[in-house]
Amino acid sequence: MSSSVMNISEHLSCPLGFGHYNAVDVCILETVVIVLLTFLIIAGNLTVIFVFHCAPLLHHYTTSYFIQTMAYADLFVGVSCLVPTLSLLHYPTGVHESLTCQVFGYIISVLKSVSMACLACISVDRYLAITKPLSYNQLVTPCRLRICISLIWIYSCLIFLPSFFGWGKPGYHGDIFEWCATSWLTNAYFTGFIVCLLYAPAAFVICFTYFHIFKICRQHTKEINDRRARFPSHEVDAAGDAGHGPDRRYAMVLFRITSVFYVLWLPYIIYFLLESSRVLDNPALSFLTTWLAISNSFCNCVIYSLSNSVFRLGLRRLSETICSSCTCLKDRDVRDPKPRKRANSCSI
């Protein structure tokens, strides 16, 4: 067992290790972290996808299109993380190291770009729902939503495509393969290109829309309180609850998802900028910031399940359906036990 671990540590880049035995321990730690994140991301996003398909009430919100797109993108993140997982568990692999590293970095960057763009589109959708409630259904249609999602995927695929032609690294750090760490370097111009066309516009749109959303909701709450002070009746309470209440609560759920996304991705983006500028080059920070950002693919599931009551209801119904089906199978086996086969018996 120890010889196999030593063999793994000789082939893998263990950025956090200082000395040979520390490198072995760090390789094991990296493997545990990546395997655990891969399992959690795949299991969590599969649960979200099944709940959305089984809970019709969730489809009343147009943002469910973007939430499901994010869930599929995060699921693909977990599936793509099987590449470093398998390379750590079954090294050496038969694939070309440089090509594997480039493809993996490109796929991860594209998928996270889809999530970032979906968060920006969700904020715009909530902004339109609150600022233009009467014309919202005419502005946001299922056809336009599908076109918007298609454009998000196309744009995300195109923006990172220059990395295949030698123009910088798309942003994947915490390199598992040695070639990624030593031969594939970041480029300040390509990093600026990504920041200007992806990170900065998405952050600006999200800050602008949520600032105005909460400003409008605060004004609406103030008006309701003034009416309650003047006319203390149940009609005012009912009018207030029928107004921006559900939209405000749903906007808060989406704001939590967006906030956690940027909290987890901000260290990664900062390190990406510093490394591209040749200001900082720390393999330990590279690994930590990368997998901290990738862990966001699982955090979305947790936040949504804890914050949305309709999602929790759908999750409970899905769990009850699975448990009832398992119970029915056990009851059927108890009622109709299968006869044991005998050596000299003829089955009809």
Side-chain angles (χ1 to χ4, degrees), residues 204-223:
F204 174 78
V205 169
I206 289 171
C207 293
F208 176 84
T209 51
Y210 278 113
F211 173 78
H212 285 83
I213 286 171
F214 292 120
K215 181 180 178 181
I216 292 171
C217 290
R218 188 167 58 251
Q219 292 176 352
H220 186 73
T221 303
K222 184 179 178 181
E223 292 175 359

Side-chain angles (χ1 to χ4, degrees), residues 38 80 83 287 298:
T38 302
S80 62
V83 175
F287 179 84
F298 171 70

